[in-house]
Amino acid sequence: MQAIQIPLLLAFPVLAVIGGLKDLTSYTIPNWISLTLIAAFFPAALVSGAPLAQIGLCLAVGLGALVIGMGMFAAGWIGGGDGKLLAVCALWLGWPAVMPFILYTGLAGGALTLTILTLRSGFFTPIVAGGPSWLRNLSKDGGDLPYGVAIAIGALAAFPEGALARGILG
């Protein structure tokens, strides 16, 4: 049974990392990442042995995170892809792991912000000038913050505490 459980469970961290990297390099998180995570959640939940109540609670947490993400998007604080990635990560992690996820995401977001501000300070301009285009875009003053990176880091940090991971790993 673990031959099926582990690959399904690994879909979450792999796709979260891909989402974070896509956001870092292009300021976009493709919809296929969120849609694939939603589609993979149900078989992963079933093979992990999660009770129906737990699956329902995960769905409620994911929906709540989607509403919050939509509000943050409407306020201009995050991009639409960031809001969707936040919601699908909350879906996979469930309750109570969503709380450390939010904490880890906030801490990673603070570190990301400080890193980007340092990059944009001008000190690294000679180094960045010869770098890839995505790095030059990150270093531009007034540019956006690829918050999908922080969401992916928060998701990876909270993953072992998540509802589905505890069912298989714990």
Side-chain angles (χ1 to χ4, degrees):
M1 188 65 142
Q2 279 193 334
I4 296 170
Q5 292 172 330
I6 300 299
L8 280 172
L9 193 64
L10 287 177
F12 175 68
V14 167
L15 289 171
V17 168
I18 291 170
L21 289 174
K22 289 292 287 179
D23 200 23
L24 180 68
T25 59
S26 67
Y27 288 111
T28 59
I29 301 172
N31 286 334
W32 69 262
I33 292 173
S34 297
L35 292 172
T36 302
L37 280 168
I38 291 168
F41 170 77
F42 294 100
L46 293 174
V47 301
S48 73
L52 197 54
Q54 177 101 42
I55 295 171
L57 189 54
C58 286
L59 289 169
V61 167
L63 182 61
L66 181 61
V67 170
I68 291 168
M70 289 170 57
M72 293 170 71
F73 172 71
W77 298 340
I78 63 173
D82 298 329
K84 290 180 273 188
L85 185 62
L86 180 80
V88 77
C89 288
L91 166 72
W92 270 78
L93 294 169
W95 184 262
V98 71
M99 298 311 288
F101 164 59
I102 297 300
L103 174 65
Y104 300 147
T105 299
L107 292 172
L112 177 67
T113 300
L114 291 175
T115 301
I116 298 291
L117 287 174
T118 302
L119 183 64
R120 292 177 181 169
S121 70
F123 182 76
F124 294 100
T125 301
I127 298 167
V128 171
S133 62
W134 64 266
L135 185 58
R136 291 192 305 272
N137 285 340
L138 279 176
S139 67
K140 289 181 183 173
D141 282 340
D144 290 332
L145 186 70
Y147 210 76
V149 173
I151 295 167
I153 291 170
L156 291 176
F159 178 60
E161 302 171 48
L164 301 185
R166 279 193 327 260
I168 293 174
L169 304 176

